[in-house]
Amino acid sequence: MNKVRDNRAEQEFELDVGGHRALAAYQREGERIVFTHTHVPAEIEGRGVASKLIRAALDSARDHGLKVVPQCTFVAAFIRRHPEYRDLVA
C-alpha cells in the first residue's frame, strides 16, 4: 500500500491502492477538521484501506493541533474502536 497524502487543494486525504483511489473528505474550520465522507472503491474494500486512511488523517490532525468533528460515520466508528483518538474529538 502506498502512503496517505493530504491533498489540501481538494480537502481530501488520499490513498492509492492498485490503481484505485480511496479518500477521506474534510473541511477545515479554523482549529477544527470536519471529516465529512470516506470512500473506498469496491475493488479495494476489505483490505484495511479505510482504516489506514483514517489513522493517517487522525495522526495528521493531532500533529497539527486540530480538533476532529467526525460527521462521517466511518470516522466516528473508527474513533469509537480506537480510544487513543478520542481526545481529538471536538
Side-chain angles (χ1 to χ4, degrees), residues 2 8 13 19 28 34-35 37 40 43 48 67 70 77 81 83 87:
N2 294 329
R8 291 182 182 170
F13 283 91
R28 281 287 302 268
V34 181
F35 287 99
H37 179 70
V40 176
E43 295 87 352
K67 285 296 189 180
R81 288 191 314 271
D87 65 303

Side-chain angles (χ1 to χ4, degrees), residues 13-78:
F13 283 91
E14 303 170 338
L15 179 59
D16 292 319
V17 178
H20 301 281
R21 184 171 63 102
L23 64 89
Y26 67 84
Q27 297 172 349
R28 281 287 302 268
E29 297 177 355
E31 297 302 309
R32 300 180 342 152
I33 184 167
V34 181
F35 287 99
T36 58
H37 179 70
T38 301
H39 173 73
V40 176
E43 295 87 352
I44 57 173
E45 284 181 350
R47 297 190 205 172
V49 173
S51 291
K52 179 176 180 175
L53 183 65
I54 298 308
R55 184 177 302 278
L58 294 174
D59 287 344
S60 176
R62 185 182 307 282
D63 291 346
H64 290 93
L66 301 175
K67 285 296 189 180
V68 171
V69 179
Q71 285 183 354
C72 169
T73 56
F74 184 86
V75 175
F78 184 92

